[in-house]
Amino acid sequence: MNGADFLELVRRRYSCRSYRPDPVPEEVLTRCVEALRLAPSACNRQPWRVVLVTAPDLRQQLAAEALLPGISMPWVAQAPAMAALAVRRDWFTHRVAPWFSGVRYDLLDPGIAGEHLVLAAAAEGLGSCWIGWIRPHAVRRILGLPGSFKPLALITLGYPAAEPETRSSRLPVEEVCRRNRWA
Ligand SMILES: Cc1cc2nc3c(=O)[nH]c(=O)nc-3n(C[C@H](O)[C@H](O)[C@H](O)COP(=O)(O)O)c2cc1C
């Protein structure tokens, strides 16, 4: 894959909010998790943990109990697979190092890993959607996560039922990037 192909893949990804019921083949899920596993992290601590949820009862329970109110997300219950992304707290990179730098490596690291998974999913022809509007305690309870794991997001996965009519827009490059110095 060259740079143009990669950019095309990045352009193809969007937050998919309608899924076909077809199950995602096991080998496809395995490749998506492999992409997550290979992500970089501060001091290579690899603090992300992920639970792939395909069991219908657990998916229904997550959709019913682990989403915060206020945003209607009926499509979550349709998605044939879900990745529950959590961070396992690391005393050095998540406590000591941010004390000096003020940088939240505990959020950066799983964010990078989760997006690796999402881009791998796009390369497999899957739709995906990050869901951060969650009740972390409910995710932990439903999926039996240890107390040291903090759930950060659910990522729905599945074959898209329909392409969205419009794509969300992005800021122009001049607004997000400057050369050498900002000002
Ligand atoms: C950390 C994070 C949390 C998000 N949480 C939600 C969510 O709870 N519900 C939802 O429908 N979309 C959620 N999204 C999707 C965003 O709304 C979406 O990425 C953004 O509007 C850009 O659209 P696009 O992904 O289609 O390019 C989330 C995305 C990210 C990265």
Side-chain angles (χ1 to χ4, degrees), residues 13-15 17 71 73 75 129-133 168 170:
R13 186 220 59 85
Y14 66 93
S15 290
R17 297 186 175 92
I71 303 178
M73 297 187 268
W75 41 271
C129 188
W130 280 87
I131 303 164
W133 197 238
S168 45
R170 291 297 188 266

Side-chain angles (χ1 to χ4, degrees), residues 60-101:
Q60 298 311 318
Q61 207 181 343
L62 285 169
E65 299 172 28
L67 304 180
L68 283 169
I71 303 178
S72 172
M73 297 187 268
W75 41 271
V76 172
Q78 292 176 359
M82 239 184 258
L85 179 66
V87 61
R88 180 176 175 275
R89 294 224 187 254
D90 178 90
W91 72 272
F92 181 70
T93 45
H94 301 162
R95 284 186 191 275
V96 180
W99 193 83
F100 288 98
S101 67

